[in-house]
Amino acid sequence: MTVLFLLPLFLFAQTKTVTGTVKDENNKPVAGASVSIKNKNTGTVTDESGTFSINATAGDVLLISGINLETVELAVGEQSQLSITLKAKATELTDVVVVGYATQKKVNMTGSVSAVSPKQIENRPVTNISSSLAGLAPGVYVRQGSGKPGSDGASILIRGTGTLSSNSPLILVDGIISSMDAVNPLDVESISVLKDAASASIYGTLAANGVILITTKRGQKNKTTVTYNGIFSTTSPMNMPEFVNDYARHMRLINEGYTNVGQPRIFSDATINAWDSASKIPNQLNAIGVPNYIAYPNTNWADVLFNNRLLQTHNISVNGGSDKVNYLLSLGYLDNQGTIENTGTKRYQLRANLDAKINKFLTLGTQTFGSIQSFEMGNTESAFNFLRQTTPGLVPVWNGRYGFPHAPEESSTANNILGFLNNTAGDDVTTRFNTTLYATIQIMKGLTFESRFNYTLSQNESNSHTNAPPSERWNFATNEQKAFLPNLANLSTSYGFSKTTQRTIDNVIRYTTSFGRDHDLGVLVGYNELYSNSYNFGASKQGLIDYDITVFGAALTPTSTTGSESDYAIRSTFGRVNYAYKGRYLVEGNLRYDGVSRFSPATRWGLFPSVSAGWRISEEAFMQRTRDWLSNLKLRASWGRLGNNASGNYDWQATYASRLYSFNNAQASGLAVGSYANPDLQWETTTNMNLGLEGSFLRSHLFFEFDLYRRITDGILTTTPIPLTAGIASAPVVNAAQVTNQGMELLVGYRGKAGKFSYSVSGNISYNTNEVTNYKGKLVEGYVTDPLGNKVYQTNLGAVSTGDVNRILEGHKINEYYLYKTYKGSGTYFNTDGTVNINGGPKDGMIRTADDIAWATAMLAAGYKLRPANAVRNNAIWYGDLIYADLNGDGDYGNSFDRYFTNTSSLPKFVWGLVTDLSWKEFDLSMIWAGAFGHQYYWNADGYNNSFVTNGNAFSTLFANDHYYYDPANPTAANTNITATYPRLKAADPQNRAVASDFWLYNAAWMKLKNLQLGYTLPTKWASKALLQKARVYFTGENLLMISKFPGLDAEIGAGLGYPTMKQYAVGANLTF
Amino acid sequence: MKKGLIIICTAAAVSFSSCKKDLLDTAPYGSLATESMWSSDNLTDLGVNGIYNALRLGIQNSGASGLEIYQYDRFGVTAQNRDAESMLQGTITPANGLFSNNWRNFYEGVIRANDAIANIPVKSPSAPAKKARLIAEAKFLRAYFYFRLNQVWKGVPVYLEPVKYDAFTKPRETEEAVWNVIVNDLTDCINEPNLPAKYAKGNSAYGRVTKGAAYALRGKAYMYMKKWAEAAADFAQVKTAGYSLFANYNTLFKEINEQCDEMIFSMQNTGIDGLGSTTQWYCGTRSSFGSCWNTYLVSPTVVDLFEKTDGSRFNWDDVIPGYSSMTPTARQVYFLRDNMTTAERTAAASRGADMSKYLLVGNEDRIKQAYQNRDPRLAACVITPYSTYNGVLGAGVSTVTSRFPYRTENSPTFDLRTDAQTFFYYLHRKFVYEGNTELLNRQYGPIDQPLIRYADVLLMWAEALNEQGDVAGAISKVNEVRARVGMPALQQTDNTKGTFVSGQTDMTERIRQERRVEFINEGINYFDELRWKTWKNTVFRAGNGTQQIWGQNTHVYTWPGDYIYTWPIPQAERERNPKLTQNEGWPQ
């Protein structure tokens, strides 16, 4: 019908034949592109050479579109010969990924590279890039080890641990080795993670642990935008340690710990009762008018220490340019107060990226950025140590005065943590400056030469001195000052300065060409050198003239001066060739030749090749039929060698180090061998194999990527133990070990759209294991007959292995746990003949009942040993103590031959992430989850989970609520608990806490909701009224949820206690003018 | 134009690249390459100084290492550790760090000495006389380190030449063979004409090895070898070299007298970070300058050993009748302060004190009687109950008194404050600094640590004479030491007096007694008790432990067997060198 109706119009207008050629961005003809006339039912497709011919009328609009290409609308005018270039549609088939010294289309890559979209780290209240990467890329394990402002950068492992030396990946920012966290997250344009040898070997010896490439934004032509991004966030600790803060209960627990081992109790009933009764009437005033809640404190130190605070960031960037000059200028400000008093940081960041096209063939430019960051001086290391070295029995601060323990029996060394946090004053400022100047010369079509020079400076200046007021501490109950201002003569002030500079030169020639119809060739040759130097000095003086006058000129006695310097250089040439046939068969080769100052002239040069190939199966003719549902399928494989030079800067040279002495009270210099040399020291080599399959289906709605890999690292740079008889000089670094690391990675995603609702979800999971495949030989253990004819058990453990609780041994994981085994008895006790059953006794290794005690006594009587205490009595092995298995069957239960390898380590076998993005009309919602599992932590910490008791130390509720108690003299005592998890409380504990047993081994699996974000973009008509191009407001939360069975503070941080990561709720605005 | 630009740019880029040809040839800034060592007179001096530095190994500023010489008193009769010691609880194993750290530190000293002894003759350009002296010093130090090794391990591998780090594979020598190595080295020192007999006070070389020191150490080695005549002869040579007792025991351990004629060889301390002593930190109290830790305490056992001024034995029952028949816990009452509040008395009673014996007024005076009219070395070495100490409170000097129960260090009470105020211990006074001018920092006190002093020589000399049957000669040597502190002379004429010596066996006991009270906190007693094989009966006597003043145990000692008279070869070292046999009896 329509056709008939339109026909007269068509006839009426002047019709002509329009012909044209459709090409893609690479100037290649696009076959099969559809050409139609808008609102008319007329159309055609292009032929093999991209040409078409269609009848149209002036005023018609042509719609030209191709698979995975953006649609172009073009009005038909006077001309009848058209030339049309179609841009690639932004799909994964056309995604361009930054790789070493170049960019590549993702579909054409033959290596294993993960790209992280900057969108996933933008608009988050994170303070650095590294910690925001968790969960975003397969094979990348991001672990934030501390939440301390300014030290909260995450450690990143790419494909697990493959060596005993450094496992840190190489970080390049705009091609220059740099700290990831020096970069403002909002300046990031792209992040690529190079994982296999094919993609990383262009960086040779720097790349054995993978490479992370970050590029920053550049100015956009003919478009000026001003963007403001601001976030206000509340911060609170992700998790807090919990302690007994009822002081009366605390005192009873202390007494329990001492009386359990037959020592006199510490706290008298009078003191305990005083607290008990005072806590019932907290507001009553004592004799001198102090309320009970102050006079009889029950302080919750975790509450005092951790507070909700504010974090804010403000960023402004200006982006614009002309045909000649493009620029990006950005300014950033961060104020993170942390969750603990006096530990905050402030940072100012600035960036100027400039590109100037001088003429047709020459472009000059710079990427320059800098930052100034200051840190507050609170000593959090002490604070965390002191968190367990204090008690609820002192007031943190009252009326501006710091508290001191109130109970007469309390240890006077129970710490006022708040006082410690605030007793250091001074400055700590880090300044960074980083500038790259570059020139690109277009020598001829396809041939460019680029030269870059970079200078990086990082320096730290610090001054530290005592902030005197917190030294004064009071017993508020008696209004008595108990600790005093220190003697001025005893106070000191110190200054420190450190500076690291790095110079880099890069010269690269690139050539790309196509010949014939089916051949694409790229060649790259480059030269690189780097020199880095660090030095520092520090000094301190003692004796001030006043508490606030702390400059050296006003201090009296110099007490120490230190200083050191070191340097490091590397020089390399490298090259790459890649070739594609019909865009279907892809091969690439890389070669790098590196020399480094860390090895002797004879061994410092190394050659690191890689080859890789890809086969785009989906492009084959026989796959024609699958094109409607299979958009891409590629198989790729790579092999290559990488290096690692992670030894000390001068390890190959033996040196004498300063060893001072004094004669007649005058300092005298001395020298002694400081380190043994190994002139044969050379590169550690990683041979890397990777097999990958990637594809996308259903018009790219569903996509996946799967990688299998194996890394064999040989000649690992490590120090193996030398005999104690060789003294204290550092053992030489040697090329000693081999580690095999293997695993697989899977990324699966789906994205789609239904009306105004669009969604995407992608998940990744990686599996990785490592094994030390060669070290110092096999472990040989067993009985031998000594010269005296005695059968003795012998082991060469010390000769073939290093470490203690975490050991390195051939055939085992890196740092596998090596522990005593908690005894598991049969639950019966005596044999029918009345002899003791040597496999009997307590089922879970803890002596719990009178039968268990009788069994242990009988065992000792029969000549068996129960180490280490080896006696049954209240200060040795008693009700509520652990005993250990006799693994070598020598009748000595728990001697040093009874440790075993657990086949677990603290490194997770599985790491995963899940990212979802939803949007509906103006609303958007996104979520990032990250997690790890398949690992364990050995955690045996005083005050937190072992049952060791010292007066003046705290009790975590973990074991305070769940420890064994039984007194045979008073079996019905109220606190009796014979089914508890943790051993009895002990003021001296060689039996439980002092033994590195698997009792202290915990499952460390964790998952976290890393980020949740809900945004609303103002409709353009409203935004434009406020002169805004775009305005988005959002609520976001960071670290909102943690799911883990690990009872410690935070399984992500690790077994120990550290500054907790922050849980954040934030509001932000993103305004573009 | 275009070509020109390219050339300029390329040239610029290339010139960047080639501006530093030796880019990769870096060398450490802070240390000396091996090839250069010993090649100048200065480096020769520095290399020998480096051996002396090995005397300081084990000093730790972050908590007592347990490896410093004075700290070994905790295993002996004279002192105790506030905390439990696995050595004394009978649970120590060959894997303990005490053994591995000492083994490594002493061999480090040996290695440094071997380096000097091997290389000075061939590489050093120093004057021959100087080289000869330095080699003698190195040999003395090597002998000292082997002495420390053999003293406890009884036979260790001997290396007298530099050895590559992975070639330490020798088996153990016999104890005898190691003593001979020590004697040989010391004999070389004694025969070296360029080694001075003694350095005068204030000499810039003070602190270096002397012939006197070599005689003293060789004599001590002969004591272990039971070569009594040779030992006595060497001790006589020490006297000839010009060493003598310092007149005042009270001030002998102050900085001003650290170079007096009594000091034969001392580890040099000076008040500089990294070069000082740690006795203040680990033997002081919270009332001491720098707020110190009373990690190491004086044992009640040794306090009771101090004789009365008339030379008779101290007996508690003479001061407090019935004292010794009471339980230790009940005796606590005698040490309580006057005028205790009701609450304090209730608490004391609940701790087990027999409060029926308490005197509201006069309790302090009664106990002070126990410490009066005693050997003056008691007051010089120990802070006894209700005695005073010149400490520091806040910014000012404060004289505090040791009282129990502790109330406050503030005015007007001025109680001495310790780490653990609910325990009442005897505290060290020797090597604990007073006021706030004697040192800058608790981490580095300036007073030298004597390793051999003349009183040690005199008492060993007495022992050597006594062992040869010369009781009279022995008495005269012991009496020199007693006379210095005003204690009455031992004698063999009047058997009604406490000073009467009945014979050689009695004299043996007298000499041991004298050594126990003379050398508190000097790291001598533990090794004496091992050498005499008395350790089991003295330290591990039934019921002994870390004790509060009245004899109540905080940690009980347990004797695990005679094997602990000898230290075990560190387990890690046996795993690396299977030729090292273990000493008999040690559990794994």
Side-chain angles (χ1 to χ4, degrees), chain A residues 412 481 484 487 529 542 571 604 654 656 660 664-665 669 671 724-725 728 798, chain B residues 17 20 25 32 34 46 49 53 108 115 206 258-259 410 417 421 436 440 573 575:
Chain A
S412 66
Q481 186 171 1
F484 300 86
N487 189 357
E529 72 174 49
Q542 183 171 329
R571 184 175 269 178
R604 67 170 53 130
Y656 279 71
L660 302 179
N664 192 34
N665 291 318
S669 295
L671 285 170
L724 296 171
T725 318
I728 63 161
Chain B
S17 319
K20 202 180 171 194
D25 295 326
L32 186 79
T34 307
L46 299 194
N49 292 354
N53 166 277
E108 173 69 20
D115 190 5
Y206 192 90
E258 65 181 2
Q259 297 184 357
N410 290 355
R417 183 156 84 86
Q421 295 150 19
N436 58 17
L440 276 175
E573 198 61 359
E575 288 171 4

Short mmCIF file of all heavy atoms in Angstrom, two decimals, chain A residues 412 481 484 487 529 542 571 604 654 656 660 664-665 669 671 724-725 728 798, chain B residues 17 20 25 32 34 46 49 53 108 115 206 258-259 410 417 421 436 440 573 575:
data_model
loop_
_atom_site.label_atom_id
_atom_site.label_comp_id
_atom_site.label_asym_id
_atom_site.label_seq_id
_atom_site.Cartn_x
_atom_site.Cartn_y
_atom_site.Cartn_z
N SER A 412 50.49 -0.37 85.67
CA SER A 412 50.60 1.06 85.36
C SER A 412 50.98 1.26 83.91
O SER A 412 51.01 2.37 83.41
CB SER A 412 51.64 1.70 86.26
OG SER A 412 52.91 1.17 85.96
N GLN A 481 47.53 13.45 89.67
CA GLN A 481 48.30 13.31 88.43
C GLN A 481 49.26 12.14 88.57
O GLN A 481 49.99 12.06 89.55
CB GLN A 481 49.08 14.60 88.13
CG GLN A 481 49.76 14.51 86.77
CD GLN A 481 50.37 15.83 86.31
OE1 GLN A 481 50.29 16.83 87.03
NE2 GLN A 481 50.96 15.83 85.13
N PHE A 484 53.66 12.55 84.08
CA PHE A 484 54.05 13.96 84.06
C PHE A 484 54.66 14.38 82.75
O PHE A 484 55.11 13.55 81.97
CB PHE A 484 55.04 14.21 85.21
CG PHE A 484 54.44 13.90 86.54
CD1 PHE A 484 54.48 12.61 87.04
CD2 PHE A 484 53.80 14.88 87.28
CE1 PHE A 484 53.90 12.30 88.26
CE2 PHE A 484 53.22 14.59 88.50
CZ PHE A 484 53.27 13.29 88.99
N ASN A 487 60.88 15.56 80.97
CA ASN A 487 61.96 16.52 81.13
C ASN A 487 62.34 17.07 79.75
O ASN A 487 62.57 16.30 78.82
CB ASN A 487 63.14 15.76 81.74
CG ASN A 487 64.25 16.68 82.16
OD1 ASN A 487 64.18 17.90 81.94
ND2 ASN A 487 65.26 16.12 82.76
N GLU A 529 66.08 3.51 28.22
CA GLU A 529 66.98 3.42 29.36
C GLU A 529 66.39 4.14 30.56
O GLU A 529 65.58 5.08 30.42
CB GLU A 529 68.38 3.93 29.03
CG GLU A 529 68.48 5.42 28.85
CD GLU A 529 69.94 5.85 28.65
OE1 GLU A 529 70.63 5.24 27.81
OE2 GLU A 529 70.36 6.78 29.34
N GLN A 542 68.61 15.95 70.94
CA GLN A 542 67.90 15.79 72.20
C GLN A 542 68.13 17.01 73.07
O GLN A 542 69.21 17.58 73.08
CB GLN A 542 68.40 14.52 72.91
CG GLN A 542 67.67 14.23 74.19
CD GLN A 542 68.03 12.87 74.75
OE1 GLN A 542 68.33 11.94 74.01
NE2 GLN A 542 68.02 12.74 76.06
N ARG A 571 69.05 -0.74 30.72
CA ARG A 571 69.15 -0.27 29.33
C ARG A 571 68.64 -1.40 28.43
O ARG A 571 69.01 -2.55 28.63
CB ARG A 571 70.62 0.04 29.03
CG ARG A 571 70.88 0.60 27.69
CD ARG A 571 72.35 0.98 27.58
NE ARG A 571 72.58 2.36 27.98
CZ ARG A 571 73.78 2.93 28.01
NH1 ARG A 571 74.86 2.24 27.72
NH2 ARG A 571 73.91 4.19 28.37
N ARG A 604 74.91 -9.49 33.06
CA ARG A 604 73.78 -8.57 33.19
C ARG A 604 72.87 -8.50 31.97
O ARG A 604 71.78 -7.96 32.06
CB ARG A 604 74.27 -7.16 33.55
CG ARG A 604 75.07 -6.47 32.49
CD ARG A 604 75.28 -4.99 32.86
NE ARG A 604 75.85 -4.79 34.17
CZ ARG A 604 76.91 -4.01 34.42
NH1 ARG A 604 77.54 -3.40 33.43
NH2 ARG A 604 77.35 -3.86 35.64
N ALA A 654 80.31 -8.28 46.83
CA ALA A 654 80.49 -8.47 48.28
C ALA A 654 80.98 -7.17 48.86
O ALA A 654 81.78 -6.46 48.26
CB ALA A 654 81.51 -9.55 48.56
N TYR A 656 81.98 -4.74 52.48
CA TYR A 656 82.20 -4.56 53.90
C TYR A 656 81.31 -3.41 54.34
O TYR A 656 81.29 -2.35 53.71
CB TYR A 656 83.67 -4.23 54.18
CG TYR A 656 84.53 -5.46 54.20
CD1 TYR A 656 84.82 -6.15 53.03
CD2 TYR A 656 85.05 -5.95 55.40
CE1 TYR A 656 85.61 -7.30 53.05
CE2 TYR A 656 85.83 -7.09 55.43
CZ TYR A 656 86.11 -7.76 54.25
OH TYR A 656 86.87 -8.89 54.28
N LEU A 660 80.32 -0.16 63.92
CA LEU A 660 80.96 0.80 64.81
C LEU A 660 81.35 0.20 66.16
O LEU A 660 80.76 -0.76 66.63
CB LEU A 660 80.01 1.98 65.06
CG LEU A 660 79.56 2.74 63.82
CD1 LEU A 660 78.60 3.85 64.21
CD2 LEU A 660 80.74 3.29 63.06
N ASN A 664 87.93 4.39 74.39
CA ASN A 664 88.09 5.57 75.24
C ASN A 664 86.93 6.56 75.06
O ASN A 664 87.11 7.76 74.99
CB ASN A 664 89.44 6.26 74.96
CG ASN A 664 89.76 7.30 76.01
OD1 ASN A 664 89.41 7.12 77.19
ND2 ASN A 664 90.37 8.40 75.59
N ASN A 665 85.73 6.02 74.92
CA ASN A 665 84.50 6.82 74.78
C ASN A 665 84.43 7.66 73.51
O ASN A 665 83.63 8.58 73.42
CB ASN A 665 84.27 7.70 76.00
CG ASN A 665 83.91 6.86 77.21
OD1 ASN A 665 83.13 5.92 77.09
ND2 ASN A 665 84.51 7.15 78.34
N SER A 669 85.10 4.03 63.80
CA SER A 669 84.56 3.31 62.65
C SER A 669 85.12 1.91 62.62
O SER A 669 86.25 1.68 63.05
CB SER A 669 84.94 4.02 61.36
OG SER A 669 84.33 5.27 61.33
N LEU A 671 84.78 -1.98 60.13
CA LEU A 671 84.22 -2.62 58.94
C LEU A 671 84.20 -4.12 59.14
O LEU A 671 85.09 -4.69 59.77
CB LEU A 671 85.08 -2.31 57.71
CG LEU A 671 84.98 -0.92 57.08
CD1 LEU A 671 86.08 -0.75 56.05
CD2 LEU A 671 83.62 -0.71 56.44
N LEU A 724 74.64 -21.15 60.38
CA LEU A 724 74.79 -20.18 61.47
C LEU A 724 76.27 -19.90 61.68
O LEU A 724 76.67 -18.80 62.04
CB LEU A 724 74.22 -20.74 62.76
CG LEU A 724 72.72 -21.04 62.80
CD1 LEU A 724 72.37 -21.80 64.07
CD2 LEU A 724 71.92 -19.75 62.72
N THR A 725 77.08 -20.90 61.41
CA THR A 725 78.52 -20.77 61.60
C THR A 725 79.10 -19.72 60.66
O THR A 725 80.19 -19.22 60.87
CB THR A 725 79.19 -22.14 61.37
OG1 THR A 725 78.38 -23.14 61.98
CG2 THR A 725 80.56 -22.20 61.98
N ILE A 728 76.74 -13.45 60.78
CA ILE A 728 75.56 -12.62 60.60
C ILE A 728 75.52 -11.89 59.26
O ILE A 728 74.55 -11.22 58.94
CB ILE A 728 75.41 -11.56 61.71
CG1 ILE A 728 76.59 -10.59 61.69
CG2 ILE A 728 75.29 -12.21 63.07
CD1 ILE A 728 76.30 -9.30 62.42
N GLY A 798 66.32 -28.35 57.70
CA GLY A 798 67.01 -27.05 57.72
C GLY A 798 67.88 -26.85 56.50
O GLY A 798 68.13 -25.73 56.07
N SER B 17 70.41 9.20 24.77
CA SER B 17 70.64 7.79 25.05
C SER B 17 72.10 7.50 25.38
O SER B 17 72.39 6.65 26.18
CB SER B 17 70.24 6.96 23.84
OG SER B 17 69.06 7.46 23.30
N LYS B 20 75.48 8.62 28.92
CA LYS B 20 76.15 7.99 30.05
C LYS B 20 76.52 6.57 29.68
O LYS B 20 75.72 5.66 29.74
CB LYS B 20 75.25 8.01 31.28
CG LYS B 20 76.02 7.88 32.56
CD LYS B 20 75.12 7.91 33.77
CE LYS B 20 75.92 7.56 35.02
NZ LYS B 20 75.07 7.25 36.14
N ASP B 25 77.12 0.52 35.30
CA ASP B 25 78.18 0.19 36.26
C ASP B 25 77.97 0.95 37.55
O ASP B 25 78.58 1.99 37.79
CB ASP B 25 79.56 0.50 35.67
CG ASP B 25 79.86 -0.41 34.48
OD1 ASP B 25 79.41 -1.57 34.52
OD2 ASP B 25 80.51 0.05 33.53
N LEU B 32 82.07 -0.99 51.34
CA LEU B 32 83.34 -1.06 50.64
C LEU B 32 83.45 -2.38 49.89
O LEU B 32 83.12 -3.43 50.42
CB LEU B 32 84.45 -0.99 51.70
CG LEU B 32 85.86 -0.91 51.17
CD1 LEU B 32 86.17 0.50 50.71
CD2 LEU B 32 86.83 -1.36 52.24
N THR B 34 84.92 -5.70 48.40
CA THR B 34 85.81 -6.67 49.04
C THR B 34 87.26 -6.51 48.61
O THR B 34 88.18 -6.61 49.43
CB THR B 34 85.33 -8.09 48.69
OG1 THR B 34 83.97 -8.16 49.03
CG2 THR B 34 86.10 -9.13 49.45
N LEU B 46 90.20 -0.23 60.56
CA LEU B 46 88.74 -0.40 60.57
C LEU B 46 88.35 -1.88 60.61
O LEU B 46 87.38 -2.25 61.27
CB LEU B 46 88.12 0.26 59.33
CG LEU B 46 88.31 1.77 59.18
CD1 LEU B 46 87.36 2.31 58.11
CD2 LEU B 46 88.07 2.50 60.49
N ASN B 49 88.76 -2.98 64.13
CA ASN B 49 87.65 -2.43 64.94
C ASN B 49 86.37 -3.23 64.73
O ASN B 49 85.56 -3.39 65.63
CB ASN B 49 87.38 -0.97 64.55
CG ASN B 49 88.52 -0.05 64.94
OD1 ASN B 49 89.46 -0.48 65.60
ND2 ASN B 49 88.44 1.21 64.53
N ASN B 53 83.58 -4.89 67.30
CA ASN B 53 82.13 -4.67 67.21
C ASN B 53 81.35 -5.95 67.47
O ASN B 53 80.23 -5.92 67.99
CB ASN B 53 81.79 -4.09 65.82
CG ASN B 53 80.30 -4.15 65.53
OD1 ASN B 53 79.80 -5.19 65.10
ND2 ASN B 53 79.58 -3.08 65.81
N GLU B 108 80.46 -15.31 64.23
CA GLU B 108 80.68 -14.07 63.48
C GLU B 108 81.97 -13.41 63.97
O GLU B 108 82.78 -12.95 63.17
CB GLU B 108 79.50 -13.11 63.67
CG GLU B 108 79.69 -11.72 63.06
CD GLU B 108 79.72 -11.70 61.54
OE1 GLU B 108 79.23 -12.67 60.93
OE2 GLU B 108 80.24 -10.71 60.96
N ASP B 115 89.44 -13.33 59.24
CA ASP B 115 89.66 -12.44 58.09
C ASP B 115 90.89 -11.56 58.34
O ASP B 115 91.79 -11.45 57.50
CB ASP B 115 88.38 -11.59 57.91
CG ASP B 115 88.38 -10.79 56.62
OD1 ASP B 115 89.31 -10.95 55.81
OD2 ASP B 115 87.43 -9.99 56.43
N TYR B 206 92.30 3.08 74.81
CA TYR B 206 91.70 2.38 75.94
C TYR B 206 90.51 1.56 75.47
O TYR B 206 89.64 2.06 74.76
CB TYR B 206 91.27 3.34 77.06
CG TYR B 206 90.94 2.55 78.30
CD1 TYR B 206 91.92 2.27 79.24
CD2 TYR B 206 89.68 1.99 78.47
CE1 TYR B 206 91.64 1.47 80.33
CE2 TYR B 206 89.39 1.17 79.54
CZ TYR B 206 90.37 0.91 80.48
OH TYR B 206 90.11 0.10 81.55
N GLU B 258 85.15 3.70 85.01
CA GLU B 258 85.10 2.55 84.10
C GLU B 258 86.48 2.21 83.52
O GLU B 258 86.64 1.15 82.92
CB GLU B 258 84.10 2.81 82.96
CG GLU B 258 84.50 3.95 82.05
CD GLU B 258 83.48 4.21 80.94
OE1 GLU B 258 82.45 3.53 80.91
OE2 GLU B 258 83.75 5.09 80.11
N GLN B 259 87.44 3.13 83.70
CA GLN B 259 88.80 2.82 83.21
C GLN B 259 89.79 2.67 84.35
O GLN B 259 91.00 2.81 84.17
CB GLN B 259 89.27 3.92 82.25
CG GLN B 259 88.40 4.02 81.00
CD GLN B 259 88.93 5.04 79.99
OE1 GLN B 259 89.92 5.73 80.26
NE2 GLN B 259 88.27 5.15 78.86
N ASN B 410 54.00 9.96 93.39
CA ASN B 410 53.86 11.41 93.51
C ASN B 410 54.23 11.93 94.88
O ASN B 410 54.27 11.19 95.86
CB ASN B 410 52.41 11.81 93.24
CG ASN B 410 52.05 11.63 91.79
OD1 ASN B 410 52.90 11.30 90.98
ND2 ASN B 410 50.78 11.83 91.46
N ARG B 417 58.27 3.07 91.55
CA ARG B 417 57.27 2.44 90.69
C ARG B 417 57.95 1.41 89.78
O ARG B 417 58.94 1.72 89.11
CB ARG B 417 56.56 3.50 89.85
CG ARG B 417 55.45 2.93 88.99
CD ARG B 417 54.44 4.01 88.64
NE ARG B 417 54.81 4.81 87.48
CZ ARG B 417 54.54 4.45 86.22
NH1 ARG B 417 53.93 3.33 85.96
NH2 ARG B 417 54.88 5.24 85.23
N GLN B 421 53.30 -3.55 89.66
CA GLN B 421 53.21 -3.03 91.01
C GLN B 421 52.60 -3.99 92.00
O GLN B 421 52.71 -3.81 93.20
CB GLN B 421 52.39 -1.75 91.01
CG GLN B 421 53.05 -0.67 90.21
CD GLN B 421 52.04 0.26 89.59
OE1 GLN B 421 50.90 0.30 90.03
NE2 GLN B 421 52.45 0.98 88.59
N ASN B 436 68.99 12.32 86.42
CA ASN B 436 68.79 12.41 84.98
C ASN B 436 69.98 13.01 84.24
O ASN B 436 69.86 13.50 83.13
CB ASN B 436 67.49 13.17 84.65
CG ASN B 436 67.47 14.55 85.23
OD1 ASN B 436 68.53 15.08 85.61
ND2 ASN B 436 66.29 15.15 85.31
N LEU B 440 71.89 9.90 78.49
CA LEU B 440 70.97 10.64 77.61
C LEU B 440 69.71 9.86 77.34
O LEU B 440 68.65 10.42 77.16
CB LEU B 440 71.66 10.88 76.26
CG LEU B 440 72.58 12.08 76.12
CD1 LEU B 440 73.23 12.04 74.75
CD2 LEU B 440 71.80 13.38 76.29
N GLU B 573 71.35 -25.79 62.76
CA GLU B 573 72.70 -26.02 62.29
C GLU B 573 72.97 -27.51 62.08
O GLU B 573 73.66 -27.90 61.15
CB GLU B 573 73.71 -25.42 63.29
CG GLU B 573 75.09 -25.21 62.74
CD GLU B 573 75.15 -24.25 61.56
OE1 GLU B 573 74.10 -23.74 61.14
OE2 GLU B 573 76.26 -24.01 61.04
N GLU B 575 70.74 -29.57 61.13
CA GLU B 575 70.05 -29.94 59.90
C GLU B 575 70.87 -29.55 58.68
O GLU B 575 70.77 -30.17 57.63
CB GLU B 575 68.66 -29.27 59.85
CG GLU B 575 67.68 -29.88 60.84
CD GLU B 575 66.37 -29.11 60.96
OE1 GLU B 575 66.19 -28.13 60.22
OE2 GLU B 575 65.55 -29.47 61.82
#
